Amino acid sequence: MAAGLLVGCSSKESDPAKPDDPTTPVTPTPTQYGTPFNAVPDRQDAVIYQVNMRAFSAGGKFAGVTARLDSIKALGVNTIYLMPIYPIGSLRGVNSPYAVQDYTAVNPEFGTLTDLRTLVDGAHQRGLAVMLDWVANHTSWDNAWIQQHPDWYQQNGAGQIISPPNSGFTDVAQLNFSSAPMRLAMISALKSWVYTANVDGFRFDYADTPPADFWKQAVDTLRNIKTHKLLLLAEGNRSNHFTAGFDYIFGFNFYGGIYQVYKNGAAATAFDGLNTTEYVGATGTQQVVRYTTNHDVNGSDGTPVTLFGGQNGALSAFVVASLYKGVPMVYNGQEAGMSAAIPFPFTSVKVQWDTQPAITRAHKQILKARAASPALRHGTSTGYSSADVCAFTKVDGADQAFVLANTRNTSVQYTVPTALANSTWTDALRGGSVAVGTTVTLPAYGYMVLRK
C-alpha cells in the first residue's frame, strides 16, 4: 500500500536514540532490570511455547503462568512467548489484546510490571527464554498517539484516520509507516522492554503489512543491543522478512498443509514441497516456526483434536510439525489434549490441566527425542512420503533419524525405500532396537521416530 512506503528511508538507521531528524525527541534508554539471560537457545534449537494469559489460568494473570513454569519446562520447550501484555483500548474495542492502548505499560488485567518481571525471572531461573508479542501495524483508537500525532496514522481523502484497509479490523487504527517520527517512537518503545523487563525477544504480529524497510530498521536496532541475544519472529510469510534479519517467519502454509492432509485427505507428499517454498529467502540457520494450533486457528478452526481425527491424529500431526523441518511451537492447552477451542477474545474458556496425562507424556516424548538428536533439531531432511504416510530422514554428521507418521485414521502399509530397507534403528521415543524391513505397517495415525 502506498502509505506504507517510506521513500528514501535508509536501513542504516539502526538506533532510535540517534534519529536523523534533530527535532525528534529522544527517549533515554531505560535502566537495565536484572541480568541479561545468557542461555537463550540458538535460533535453530528453539522450541516455543505460546501463552494466552486469559486462558492459561483461572485468574488469567502473570502469576498463573509463573506458578506453572516447572510444568512448562518439563514439557521440553525452552522459549515462552507471551501474547500481548499491554493495556487494551476500549474505544470501538472488542476486548482484543491486539488493540494496544499504550506500548510502554503493562495491562493491569494481568498484573503489574513487578509481576511480569517475576515471571521472566522465574523463566530464566529454569533456563527458559521469554518473548513478548508486539503489534506494530496498528493501535487502539484511544492510544494517546491518535490525539498527539494524527499524522502518525493513515488517513483517507477527508483527513480521517482509517482502520487497516481490507482487513475488517475496525477496532484498531492503521499506522502510517511513511512517518519517520512514528517509526522512531515505535522502535524506542519496543527496545525499552528489553531493559525494563529483561525479555529475550519478540513475536511480531501481522508482520506482512508493515514495509520491509521498517522491519530492517527495527531489527537492526534490536541487534544493536549487544548485551542481549534476542529471538525475533515475524508472524508473516514474506521472504523479505528473512532479508530484514528475522530469525523466524510463520509457517502459515505448513499449517495449511496439515489441515489439507489430515482433515481433507490430501496426499502426505504435500509436506515435501512446503519445506522448499516456505524457506525461500532463508539463509544460514533462519527457520520457519511450525505448529498444529495457535490462538488464531484454535478459535476459528478448532483444536487439533477436533480437526485432525482425535487425540491420535493430533499427535501424528504434531510429529510432522515438530520434526520434519523448522522450529516447533506449542499452544497452551494442546499438550493437555484439549478438545474445547479457546475462542476470541479468550475469556470464556480456561485450559484444563492434567486431565489427560498420557497425551502430555506423548508430547514430552516427542520433544525429548528432538532435543536429544542434532539430526531431528536441524539436520538435512530428505522426503520419502507416500500418499498416506509422511516419511523423511534427517542427517546431521553421524546422527541419523527416520520418521514415519500415518496421516490416516486407518492402518496403512508403507513400502520402505530401497535406500532405507533392511536397516536397524533405535526407537527414539520408547527405546529398544527396531528392524526396518521392506515394509512397515502403521496403525491408524501411528508414528515412529527412529534414530541411529
Side-chain angles (χ1 to χ4, degrees):
M1 57 190 72
L5 298 178
L6 181 59
V7 179
C9 174
S10 170
S11 62
K12 69 177 176 61
E13 184 179 7
S14 61
D15 189 343
K18 299 177 181 178
D20 289 340
D21 180 359
T23 66
T24 302
V26 175
T27 303
T29 298
T31 302
Q32 176 69 60
Y33 167 77
T35 303
F37 185 45
N38 64 4
V40 175
D42 292 340
R43 61 187 176 193
Q44 70 271 28
D45 290 330
V47 180
I48 301 172
Y49 186 85
Q50 181 186 4
V51 170
N52 183 337
M53 220 87 61
R54 287 173 163 175
F56 188 87
S57 67
K61 296 183 179 296
F62 294 126
V65 181
T66 303
R68 286 193 63 87
L69 286 172
D70 287 333
S71 296
I72 294 174
K73 171 73 172 180
L75 182 61
V77 303
N78 53 28
T79 304
I80 296 173
Y81 131 48
L82 304 176
M83 285 173 61
I85 54 92
Y86 322 100
I88 296 169
S90 57
L91 181 63
R92 306 190 198 178
V94 293
N95 202 20
S96 169
Y98 292 88
V100 176
Q101 187 184 59
D102 184 348
Y103 284 112
T104 61
V106 169
N107 185 353
E109 174 189 348
F110 301 139
T112 64
L113 175 60
T114 298
D115 296 328
L116 174 62
R117 287 170 167 175
T118 299
L119 192 166
V120 174
D121 289 345
H124 288 170
Q125 290 162 11
R126 291 162 176 82
L128 300 166
V130 179
M131 303 167 68
L132 299 184
D133 213 336
W134 194 262
V135 190
N137 184 67
H138 45 257
T139 75
S140 72
W141 287 99
D142 46 6
N143 190 298
W145 289 1
I146 292 268
Q147 298 298 323
Q148 296 170 356
H149 306 286
D151 58 309
W152 289 9
Y153 291 83
Q154 279 193 36
Q155 300 177 16
N156 61 19
Q160 299 169 322
I161 295 172
I162 62 173
S163 294
N166 306 312
S167 70
F169 298 152
T170 59
D171 63 316
V172 290
Q174 175 65 49
L175 287 163
N176 174 18
F177 286 89
S178 66
S179 169
M182 184 281 289
R183 290 182 175 217
L184 293 173
M186 171 74 69
I187 293 171
S188 180
L190 171 64
K191 182 179 175 182
S192 72
W193 287 99
V194 179
Y195 297 101
T196 58
N198 199 24
V199 298
D200 310 299
F202 299 90
R203 175 264 195 194
F204 294 92
D205 181 67
Y206 211 60
D208 281 347
T209 298
D213 60 0
F214 166 73
W215 289 128
K216 181 71 165 61
Q217 182 181 358
V219 170
D220 283 353
T221 299
L222 292 172
R223 298 293 187 212
N224 202 39
I225 304 175
K226 303 304 183 184
T227 51
H228 288 256
K229 176 181 178 180
L230 300 175
L231 299 176
L232 306 178
L233 162 59
E235 192 229 0
N237 59 7
R238 295 193 324 224
S239 61
N240 61 13
H241 292 317
F242 287 129
T243 309
F246 284 106
D247 298 295
Y248 312 109
I249 65 168
F250 222 55
F252 293 114
N253 293 328
F254 202 83
Y255 169 78
I258 291 172
Y259 187 97
Q260 291 300 324
V261 171
Y262 280 84
K263 185 170 176 61
N264 294 337
T269 51
F271 299 121
D272 303 337
L274 289 167
N275 278 343
T276 300
T277 56
E278 282 203 323
Y279 275 81
V280 171
T283 59
T285 57
Q286 289 175 313
Q287 299 291 327
V288 178
V289 170
R290 289 177 166 171
Y291 52 87
T292 58
T293 188
N294 60 43
H295 70 281
D296 282 324
V297 298
N298 191 282
S300 63
D301 297 353
T303 68
V305 174
T306 56
L307 280 179
F308 306 138
Q311 299 289 0
N312 291 334
L315 286 171
S316 174
F318 183 65
V319 166
V320 176
S322 299
L323 301 184
Y324 200 166
K325 190 173 183 179
V327 163
M329 185 176 75
V330 178
Y331 180 48
N332 59 201
Q334 82 174 77
E335 79 274 31
M338 281 188 71
S339 57
I342 304 172
F344 177 86
F346 322 117
T347 56
S348 59
V349 173
K350 302 292 184 179
V351 176
Q352 301 301 306
W353 298 110
D354 308 320
T355 60
Q356 301 205 51
I359 302 302
T360 306
R361 187 163 54 249
H363 281 82
K364 289 180 179 180
Q365 285 179 326
I366 293 163
L367 293 179
K368 183 178 180 180
R370 184 182 188 278
S373 168
L376 288 174
R377 290 199 309 276
H378 42 67
T380 300
S381 59
T382 302
Y384 293 100
S385 298
S386 67
D388 298 323
V389 175
C390 178
F392 53 91
T393 59
K394 297 182 78 174
V395 177
D396 185 286
D399 191 44
Q400 302 177 55
F402 182 25
V403 178
L404 304 97
N406 183 1
T407 66
R408 309 302 180 208
N409 193 18
T410 184
S411 177
V412 168
Q413 186 176 80
Y414 172 77
T415 300
V416 179
T418 303
L420 301 170
N422 302 311
S423 55
T424 302
W425 302 77
T426 297
D427 188 327
L429 301 178
R430 303 167 189 85
S433 180
V434 176
V436 174
T438 57
T439 62
V440 173
T441 300
L442 294 168
Y445 295 127
Y447 54 86
M448 300 175 69
V449 181
L450 308 177
R451 185 184 175 201
K452 66 178 177 180

